Every structure is written in structure tokens, then in C-alpha cells.
Amino acid sequence: MTEAATLFGESGSLAGIVTEPEPQPDSSKYPAIIYINPGLLPRVGPHRVHVKLARRLYKAGVTSLRFDLSGIGDSAPRHDRLPARESATQEIQEAMSYLTERSGKREFVLFGICSGADYAFRVGCTDRRVVGLVLVDGYSYRTLGNRLRHYGLRLFRRRSWANVLTGKHPLWKWLSMRESSEKLPQERPSLGFYRKPSRREADAGLRAMVSRGVNLCILHSHSHWYNYRSQFKHTFPSIGISPQVNVEYLNFADHTFTLLASQDALVDRVESWLLDADRSPRARKL
């Protein structure tokens, strides 16, 4: 295995690790994969899952780059006051250009967890070099099935009833604000380090990418935001059944993939998807 530390970008301040396999008979058909920081975690990813996946895919001949966005890990901060989303978009595009110059790769898969998934989505919507996205714990929206599971389970929890009887349940705060005619706080479409788009905007972006042939691998761990296998299909029915969209629900995993079993499952699912994805011109629709 060849792994090399590198600096790249317009100012030469973005730090990353390139994993370059030896040329293999079928390796040229695979796009390069770029790993994007989740939140403020460095390029290794939560519990080093980026490293594990990059080294697993190396065996199949996949070139990859895991790098730090500016101001994170080993990459120097920017001084132009560019907003985080815009700077991330620019730097991901610089990462693709760098790999093209270094290895000749012109097609890319972007891998992102949480805020990294948001950045990957934004770049994938606008940059035609992106042929695939791995969105881990990206956008999730409440559905009827989600609410029934989330609130239904609470009906059978002793602690939930105790909170209701003692006045500690959020329901009482909501009712008191209604009675006092105070303005109820609006639900903000925010999640972690980014602002989540409306469901309509996310649906439009996903449909546009699918229509141009981008392959999507959607993975979700278990949370109150995403709690059953078919939630993605119920959220985005127009693309949820597309053969270009692969959805995985790891109900035993948490958001940072703490358990070794969940890390292995994540790596296995992404490897299987990337190596089996149909990237023929007919499937790409380009």
C-alpha cells in the first residue's frame, strides 16, 4: 500500500493523505473517493472509519484522498472570511482537481458523514465530476412512520409517564406557552454544523443527480430522526425506488459508529456498493 501525506489547494494549505494502489486490471474503472470531515473531526473520521474504508478499497484498486477542510485537523485556517459552506465546496473541488493532476482520475465519489454529507450533497448537485455520493446520516425528515415509532414507544415507558405526572415532560412547557399566548418557537431546519434544507429542496437536488446518472449510497444509523428501514423511501418516494439509489439502515449503530460491529458494517456496505455500482454510459445518462 502506498499512502502519502500531501499539501494542496490554491494556497497549498490543505493537508491530506492519498492512498494509491498499484495498477490492477480493472482498477481504472473505479472513480476516486474523497472523504470529507464530519463536523470538527479530523480526516480519519469517527473511530478512524475513513482510514479503514480507504485501506479496504485500496485492495480493489481504488484511489482515495482523505483531507482536512481549512481550520480542521492539519489544514491551516482561511483568512478570507468565506462562509464555511462556500469554503468547503471550493476545497472539495480543489481536492478533485488535485487528484486529477496527480493520478489522472476524472470521476469521483464523495463520502460524507453528517455535515460532511451536507457538503457532499451540495458539491454533487453542481459538479459533474461527481458520479457517486455516500451520504451517512445526512438529511432525514420526520414521516408518519417515524413519529408513530418515536412516540408510540414512549407510551410504554415508565419514565415518560413519570415525567408527565411530575410536570417535567416537554408537553407541559408547550401547553403553558400556548395558554400564555407566547409565540411558540419555530422548528429550525438545523442539524449540527449546517442548516438542513427543506424537504422539497433536498428532493429536487437528489432527483436532479439521479437524472444525470449519479449513484447514491444512503446510510443511516438509528436515531429519533431516522428509526425504520423504509423511512428514506417514504420521505423521497420519487427516487426511493430508483436502482441508482441504495439505502441502508444500520439499526444497531450510533451516530459515531462506536461499536466495532457497526464500523465493519459501514465499511462492508460501502465497499459492496462502490465495487458493484453500474457506471456504464447507459446508466450514467451523460
Side-chain angles (χ1 to χ4, degrees):
M1 180 191 309
T2 301
E3 289 193 313
T6 185
L7 292 173
F8 66 94
E10 184 177 345
S11 61
S13 61
L14 297 176
I17 301 291
V18 179
T19 302
E20 293 178 299
E22 295 295 328
Q24 298 181 23
D26 293 332
S27 62
S28 60
K29 71 178 183 180
Y30 297 125
I33 184 167
I34 294 176
Y35 300 90
I36 305 168
N37 297 101
L40 296 178
L41 292 180
R43 60 182 176 269
V44 298
H47 301 286
R48 294 176 61 81
V49 295
H50 292 179
V51 179
K52 294 178 180 181
L53 182 55
R55 292 177 178 175
R56 173 78 71 84
L57 293 175
Y58 150 83
K59 298 176 182 178
V62 178
T63 298
S64 66
L65 169 64
R66 50 189 190 272
F67 79 102
D68 291 319
L69 296 170
S70 58
I72 302 175
D74 294 322
S75 292
R78 300 178 70 104
H79 300 288
D80 55 7
R81 298 185 179 182
L82 195 66
R85 178 178 288 170
E86 294 179 27
S87 66
T89 298
Q90 178 180 310
E91 289 161 11
I92 293 167
Q93 292 173 325
E94 289 175 355
M96 290 190 286
S97 297
Y98 169 73
L99 277 184
T100 299
E101 294 175 3
R102 181 183 178 108
S103 62
K105 293 292 184 179
R106 297 184 180 278
E107 295 185 333
F108 301 90
V109 169
L110 304 182
F111 179 103
I113 300 175
C114 192
S115 64
D118 174 58
Y119 296 146
F121 172 85
R122 303 289 176 176
V123 176
C125 284
T126 59
D127 198 312
R128 297 181 70 85
R129 291 176 293 179
V130 176
V131 299
L133 295 178
V134 181
L135 307 179
V136 183
D137 283 349
Y139 306 145
S140 55
Y141 302 86
R142 290 290 181 85
T143 63
L144 176 61
N146 172 278
R147 294 182 187 279
L148 288 175
R149 287 166 176 80
H150 180 70
Y151 294 108
L153 289 175
R154 279 162 168 69
L155 293 175
F156 301 97
R157 292 180 183 173
R158 183 181 302 174
R159 182 176 180 181
S160 295
W161 287 106
N163 287 338
V164 171
L165 295 174
T166 58
K168 298 178 180 178
H169 197 277
L171 174 65
W172 294 113
K173 181 178 180 180
W174 183 81
L175 289 173
S176 65
M177 294 181 71
R178 292 270 302 207
E179 292 175 358
S180 62
S181 70
E182 292 182 22
K183 184 177 180 180
L184 292 173
Q186 295 182 349
E187 182 179 358
R188 297 180 61 190
S190 61
L191 188 64
F193 291 88
Y194 64 92
R195 289 186 61 82
K196 185 167 64 175
S198 68
R199 186 184 306 200
R200 180 177 298 180
E201 179 185 350
D203 181 68
L206 291 170
R207 282 191 289 109
M209 284 189 283
V210 168
S211 69
R212 80 165 198 257
V214 176
N215 291 294
L216 304 176
C217 180
I218 312 293
L219 294 104
H220 281 280
S221 63
H222 180 78
S223 69
H224 69 278
W225 281 98
Y226 199 102
N227 59 15
Y228 68 104
R229 189 169 301 278
S230 301
Q231 186 169 334
F232 182 86
K233 293 180 180 179
H234 293 164
T235 304
F236 304 108
S238 62
I239 64 167
I241 60 174
S242 170
Q244 291 169 233
V245 181
N246 182 74
V247 182
E248 299 281 352
Y249 170 51
L250 305 180
N251 64 338
F252 56 91
D254 60 27
H255 186 53
T256 58
F257 296 86
T258 305
L259 298 176
L260 286 174
S262 64
Q263 297 168 30
D264 292 340
L266 174 64
V267 171
D268 290 343
R269 301 295 200 281
V270 175
E271 178 189 34
S272 177
W273 169 81
L274 181 65
L275 301 187
D276 293 342
D278 186 357
R279 278 173 290 275
S280 66
R282 184 168 61 105
R284 288 276 312 282
K285 300 179 183 178
L286 292 179

